[in-house]
Amino acid sequence: RLANSVPEAVAANTGGEEAGGLGTQLIAAFVQQLAGEADSGTAGGVYRLTVSFPVRPLAEGEARNAAPEPAET
């Protein structure tokens, strides 16, 4: 969970609209890769971002589950 204060001038400028910048896109891609969920919002001058995802054993990682490459002949 991440929380950060938001200056009044910035909060007034956004008008409650969601950001769509590079950081937002990177977080969305990360959450998708982890099969997780992200929730964000501003309340009381504080911006909060929460990312939740299931924890899986390392043995289920992509590199360990990749099919072996065929031997060259």
Side-chain angles (χ1 to χ4, degrees):
R1 177 183 291 191
L2 170 78
N4 193 14
S5 61
V6 179
E8 287 182 32
V10 173
N13 251 357
T14 61
E17 297 174 15
E18 284 290 319
L22 178 60
T24 301
Q25 294 174 27
L26 290 171
I27 290 171
F30 179 62
V31 168
Q32 184 177 11
Q33 287 177 343
L34 295 174
E37 296 179 5
D39 183 40
S40 65
T42 304
V46 176
Y47 174 79
R48 293 196 194 296
L49 169 65
T50 303
V51 175
S52 305
F53 54 91
V55 177
R56 295 191 177 110
L58 184 58
E60 293 180 16
E62 291 178 27
R64 293 176 185 244
N65 287 328
E69 293 186 23
E72 292 185 28
T73 57

